[in-house]
Amino acid sequence: MAAPAAFSLREVLAAFQGCVTERREVLLGPYLRGWRGLIRFLHSLGAIFSFVSKDAVAKVQIMEGYCGGEQRERYVSLQSMVEYELASGLVDLHKRSGRPDSGCRTVLRLHRALRWLQLFLEGLRTGREDSRTSVICTDSYNASLAAYHPWVIRKAATVAFCALPPRNAFLEIMNVGTAEDAVAMLGEALPYICNVYSITQELFAHHKLLDLP
Ligand code: 1PZ
């Protein structure tokens, strides 16, 4: 059997570039394609991260279900999703009620993880050649996602981070070329991720959706 084609993180990050429209709407199709690519990359880092990818896959699947379901035209963008789910009373605002997870609460989890990704990639990009990926990763995690995770997940995450390869090796497994090429690519791609993050943050803040259970 042929080995799966090596894929480059450049294409993955480009999906986030393609998901913002001129009207500053975030399109769910490319957003989820970006996530699928990130999850694939995560798989290449080994089984130690499978508890992370399992959860990420579950969340992406929920969203793909909505995007391919009966109400698919309501799930074209984050903006149309928020409007539809709120107007139809589909979002548990204070306590989970046993109803299916809403798109809003599901995207919120991915959105918080995107903040981690932004900090982590920025840390890698600007880090010194001899800096440790595990330290960059732990610092980014503690400054973002950790606040939303119980102790046991924080512990498991921190242990897994120790398995990450050194900075330059990590930049090379991104498959963009040399470590310098990867740093240059990150410099180009990160503003787009920041943009997706801030538009989503604004949208969720506006509708008071930043603490959905
Ligand atoms: C390069 C190294 C990758 C490290 C990944 C860093 C993120 C660590 C996150 C660990 C969370 C895993 C377990 C599941 C947690 C869930 O409880 C939470 C909340 O969901 P809920 O329980 O409310 O339904 N899920 C999340 O916070 C979403 C986490 C998604 C992480 C995606 C990481 C993508 C990695 C890309 C790698 C380049």
Side-chain angles (χ1 to χ4, degrees):
M1 210 172 72
F7 79 106
S8 156
L9 206 63
R10 187 193 295 277
E11 278 80 65
V12 173
L13 299 183
F16 290 102
Q17 174 174 351
C19 73
V20 178
T21 69
E22 276 173 23
R23 297 167 53 204
R24 286 178 42 98
E25 286 176 317
V26 178
L27 300 174
L28 264 165
Y31 186 84
L32 296 174
R33 272 198 292 286
W35 274 104
R36 279 282 178 196
L38 288 173
I39 292 165
R40 226 176 125 201
F41 180 72
L42 190 59
H43 279 144
S44 74
L45 297 176
I48 192 160
F49 289 105
S50 51
F51 76 108
V52 181
S53 56
K54 256 196 206 135
D55 185 69
V57 166
K59 297 210 166 18
V60 169
Q61 270 171 352
I62 291 174
M63 294 314 301
E64 286 172 346
Y66 286 129
C67 290
E70 262 174 42
Q71 300 294 334
R72 64 171 73 87
E73 75 277 12
R74 315 281 198 162
Y75 288 88
V76 170
S77 70
L78 290 187
Q79 284 77 3
S80 63
M81 172 190 83
V82 166
E83 192 185 326
Y84 164 67
E85 289 195 339
L86 285 179
S88 316
L90 294 170
V91 185
D92 287 336
L93 297 172
H94 306 294
K95 227 174 107 219
R96 298 182 75 174
S97 67
R99 281 187 298 184
D101 288 345
S102 64
C104 288
R105 72 89 62 194
T106 306
V107 165
L108 177 63
R109 271 61 187 178
L110 295 175
H111 169 66
R112 289 169 177 166
L114 203 63
R115 172 76 183 151
W116 162 79
L117 184 75
Q118 183 191 324
L119 295 176
F120 172 61
L121 294 179
E122 184 61 15
L124 271 183
R125 185 181 80 85
T126 56
R128 288 164 32 142
E129 208 168 303
D130 61 354
S131 43
R132 286 171 53 195
T133 313
S134 57
V135 173
I136 298 173
C137 191
T138 306
D139 289 349
S140 330
Y141 177 74
N142 287 337
S144 57
L145 266 182
Y148 306 102
H149 289 162
W151 183 86
V152 52
I153 289 183
R154 292 204 302 270
K155 194 73 202 158
T158 315
V159 170
F161 296 160
C162 295
L164 290 169
R167 175 179 179 271
N168 276 18
F170 192 90
L171 289 170
E172 279 161 25
I173 54 175
M174 290 181 178
N175 262 315
V176 176
T178 63
E180 291 75 38
D181 296 334
V183 164
M185 181 280 288
L186 288 177
E188 288 161 30
L190 275 168
Y192 294 104
I193 294 189
C194 286
N195 197 28
V196 172
Y197 180 83
S198 43
I199 295 174
T200 311
Q201 180 72 13
E202 221 175 90
L203 174 71
F204 275 58
H206 179 75
H207 293 279
K208 304 199 166 46
L209 299 174
L210 287 171
D211 296 308
L212 293 180

